[in-house]
Amino acid sequence: MSPFEKFLKQLENVKVIEPTISYDNYVTIDLSDKNPDLNKELLADAEKFEIYIEDYLQKNNALVAFGGYNEVRNLYKRSTIFNGEDFDERNIHIGLDLWTKEGTEVTAALNGNVHSFNFNNSLGDYGPTIILEHLFEEEKFYTLYGHLSLESISNLQIGDEFKKGEKLGTLGNAEVNGGYSPHLHFQIIKNLDQNSGDYPGVCSKNKLDYYLENCPDPNLLLKIN
Ligand SMILES: [Zn+2]
């Protein structure tokens, strides 16, 4: 484990969606290419996918379905923004997704300031997105919150300060969030390069080592068990 991962691990856990929902009401979900339920038809239709998630939550008596870090997915084939040849196809998810209801409160994972925000408005993209900047031993690192509502970024300014656990925004619906069932994409990023209001949330197999190192498992911080 790297020093940065150790740092994340020793931090007190925090929720990044609605703090009143206990982790007892969370359930893991497999959205990998190994899940036989995820046929083409389901993946192509946000409404059907939303029903699938709702059924899954109900069956598991849960309010939030989570997972997806370092997960190989077929979910991205419907959108051209992820296309590439063979090993260049971006289909490995490197954030953590939390699937729940539209409008659910999203909260800051750590004390920080708004680095940037953007409405990434393509099919399969993040929709409204906020990136917060934080410090680890004099070095900057970042947390990214994707698939938010438009209201989440409508009154935001670069540099705005948020405290750990403070409300940052709310979850958007398929009309604004890139065409997905409502969920938060949460990602930790060490080196943001020149990105602003956006950062890859999926990568190709041949860049996986770099991205896993640059974007450690968000659950080191969230500590959902
Ligand atoms: Zn995601």
Side-chain angles (χ1 to χ4, degrees):
M1 193 176 277
S2 73
F4 182 58
E5 288 174 314
K6 278 186 193 150
F7 160 74
L8 294 171
K9 208 177 167 200
Q10 56 82 35
L11 288 170
E12 196 187 334
N13 71 336
V14 65
K15 297 200 179 85
V16 282
I17 54 168
E18 183 52 60
T20 60
I21 303 176
S22 153
Y23 281 164
D24 294 343
N25 293 310
Y26 282 47
V27 64
T28 54
I29 190 165
D30 174 8
L31 297 178
S32 76
D33 54 3
K34 307 274 187 296
N35 180 343
D37 294 343
L38 303 180
N39 57 47
K40 261 189 185 156
E41 197 193 2
L42 185 67
L43 293 176
D45 188 328
E47 267 175 56
K48 282 189 183 138
F49 197 78
E50 198 165 335
I51 292 166
Y52 174 76
I53 297 281
E54 278 167 12
D55 282 353
Y56 186 84
L57 289 172
Q58 209 164 22
K59 271 183 209 147
N60 287 282
N61 208 4
L63 298 174
V64 178
F66 76 98
Y69 180 69
N70 193 9
E71 183 171 78
V72 179
R73 291 179 171 177
N74 284 328
L75 195 56
Y76 306 108
K77 290 194 192 297
R78 66 186 178 139
S79 169
T80 53
I81 65 169
F82 303 104
N83 287 359
E85 295 298 319
D86 301 327
F87 282 127
D88 257 351
E89 182 186 339
R90 296 199 299 129
N91 62 354
I92 310 173
H93 187 260
I94 45 176
L96 184 86
D97 285 332
L98 299 126
W99 303 82
T100 184
K101 285 188 171 35
E102 172 192 354
T104 299
E105 185 172 316
V106 174
T107 50
L110 298 158
N111 295 344
N113 295 80
V114 174
H115 168 273
S116 52
F117 57 94
N118 193 40
F119 182 24
N120 298 300
N121 188 19
S122 300
L123 175 68
D125 212 332
Y126 289 132
T129 309
I130 300 174
I131 296 179
L132 295 183
E133 184 177 294
H134 316 280
L135 275 181
F136 164 57
E137 293 176 353
E138 313 289 303
E139 275 196 57
K140 288 175 180 167
F141 71 98
Y142 305 87
T143 51
L144 180 148
Y145 308 79
H147 309 299
L148 305 178
S149 62
L150 275 174
E151 297 79 64
S152 307
I153 57 168
S154 61
N155 285 311
L156 205 60
Q157 307 275 343
I158 291 191
D160 279 356
E161 195 183 322
F162 286 91
K163 294 276 176 230
K164 179 173 177 167
E166 189 180 343
K167 183 180 178 184
L168 185 63
T170 53
L171 287 186
N173 62 20
E175 276 171 45
V176 297
N177 79 357
Y180 293 100
S181 178
H183 71 289
L184 176 69
H185 175 99
F186 176 67
Q187 190 167 334
I188 299 172
I189 304 161
K190 279 164 69 182
N191 183 351
L192 194 61
D193 295 314
Q194 300 306 308
N195 291 281
S196 180
D198 196 10
Y199 187 84
V202 281
C203 73
S204 61
K205 193 169 181 183
N206 58 15
K207 299 203 176 84
L208 183 61
D209 288 347
Y210 169 77
Y211 279 106
L212 290 183
E213 201 276 324
N214 197 47
C215 303
D217 185 350
N219 208 21
L220 288 169
L221 176 60
L222 303 190
K223 302 169 178 72
I224 309 165
N225 39 41

